[in-house]
Amino acid sequence: MSGLHCARHLLSATAALALTLWLAPRSHADEPVDVELVLAVDVSLSMSAEELEIQRHGYAAALTHDNVLQAIADGAYGKIAVTYVEWAGTGWQHVIVPWTVIASRADAERVVAQMSAQPPNSARRTSISGALEFGSDLFAESGYQGTKRVIDISGDGPNNQGAPVNLVRDGVVSQGIVINGLPLMTRGGFSGVYDVNDLDRYYSDCVIGGAGAFMIPVNDWTQFPEAIRRKLVLELAGPASPYWVAEEADYPPVELAQDKPAADCQVGEKMWRNRNWMPDSR
């Protein structure tokens, strides 16, 4: 093949490649958003069907609340990317809503419609560490670039399956991801045998982490919708926002008693090993 023919062949191949790239749909890989947010929701068997519905409705109401939408609109880009995941044991994490941008009420309502399309399922065991690992992996495939990456995890009991939760927490935080918590201290569901006292302290010491991480305990299911709304506003607005100041003024932060020892981050695993007759619920 002559040099001129080779050159013509190369130019033709280059032109074809350029045309293919031009015609291909554009990737969202570099699309900026203010926050990439993983909503990781506990659906272990310790939660009753009624409580699972309360959770779904609480998230739906929060995502379409005026205060949350205003916090989104006031961001530098005026939009966030969110995914909604339900989790239980180590191998049970289901993406209910894949990564979706919320920049308007219509966007939020589409997310809620997708979230509510099917009733929630539940499964055995409670692996907070598994949920955190799964959530952190989701950021790699989000298709968006957030100025902040957050895993918002709720649950009604300690980790009892999978890797130690505090070690996984530390690994996730080292990636620059913030973990905020919503401990559900509601004493509901099918069984209370795996409940731990001071679940809020457990979440504070063993689960949450990263710059500005916080948790909001829920002591009764009637508090859940308001707690979710507050949590989203704080996550999206940030401590420099007037919304953060207003929320703290209306609801002073919970201060954990300092005279109590740190939570045992293996308490759930120990309870599971010593369960004997206990039902295989969480």
Side-chain angles (χ1 to χ4, degrees):
M1 184 181 290
S2 69
L4 179 59
H5 186 71
C6 288
R8 285 175 177 171
H9 182 75
L10 178 60
L11 286 172
S12 177
T14 302
L17 177 60
L19 179 62
T20 300
L21 292 175
W22 185 78
L23 292 174
R26 293 192 177 187
S27 169
H28 289 289
D30 296 324
E31 182 176 349
V33 294
D34 292 299
V35 180
E36 292 174 77
L37 178 63
V38 175
L39 298 175
V41 182
D42 181 7
V43 294
S44 57
L45 286 178
S46 56
M47 308 276 285
S48 69
E50 181 182 8
E51 290 169 337
L52 294 177
E53 286 296 336
I54 291 173
Q55 280 198 124
R56 281 271 187 98
H57 293 156
Y59 279 98
L63 287 169
T64 54
H65 194 282
D66 288 342
N67 291 7
V68 172
L69 294 174
Q70 190 61 52
I72 294 173
D74 286 352
Y77 298 105
K79 56 185 175 180
I80 66 169
V82 63
T83 180
Y84 185 92
V85 179
E86 293 180 339
W87 60 272
T90 50
W92 207 98
Q93 300 93 21
H94 287 183
V95 175
I96 307 302
V97 180
W99 284 109
T100 306
V101 164
I102 297 180
S104 66
R105 179 175 295 279
D107 293 337
E109 288 173 349
R110 279 192 289 271
V111 169
V112 168
Q114 194 167 1
M115 183 193 307
S116 308
Q118 299 291 333
N121 292 315
S122 57
R124 293 179 175 181
R125 308 293 292 270
T126 299
S127 183
I128 301 173
S129 58
L132 292 178
E133 289 176 330
F134 185 83
S136 66
D137 288 344
L138 288 177
F139 290 110
E141 59 190 53
S142 75
Y144 301 97
Q145 184 64 48
T147 57
K148 182 167 66 171
R149 294 181 296 167
V150 179
I151 297 177
D152 179 335
I153 188 160
S154 65
D156 71 341
N159 194 77
N160 63 33
Q161 190 180 39
V165 65
N166 55 320
L167 299 184
V168 171
R169 182 267 317 273
D170 293 344
V172 171
V173 169
S174 71
Q175 301 174 48
I177 299 168
V178 176
I179 304 168
N180 294 327
L182 194 77
L184 306 175
M185 303 167 66
T186 52
R187 300 292 189 266
F190 296 139
S191 173
V193 293
Y194 297 107
D195 288 333
V196 298
N197 294 325
D198 302 324
L199 185 63
D200 52 350
R201 176 169 289 277
Y202 176 87
Y203 262 69
S204 179
D205 292 346
C206 307
V207 178
I208 68 171
F214 66 93
M215 60 90 190
I216 297 178
V218 176
N219 295 299
D220 185 88
W221 281 111
T222 59
Q223 301 172 358
F224 187 80
E226 181 68 14
I228 289 294
R229 182 198 63 76
R230 286 181 55 211
K231 196 160 185 292
L232 288 178
V233 169
L234 295 177
E235 284 167 340
L236 302 177
S241 166
Y243 296 105
W244 182 290
V245 175
E247 288 290 344
E248 284 198 329
D250 291 340
Y251 303 93
V254 174
E255 297 291 342
L256 299 178
Q258 298 303 311
D259 58 342
K260 292 186 177 180
D264 179 1
C265 294
Q266 292 287 304
V267 63
E269 289 85 348
K270 292 174 181 176
M271 293 173 70
W272 183 261
R273 287 195 297 269
N274 297 329
R275 68 193 184 281
N276 296 325
W277 56 272
M278 294 180 182
D280 187 4
S281 60
R282 291 188 184 179

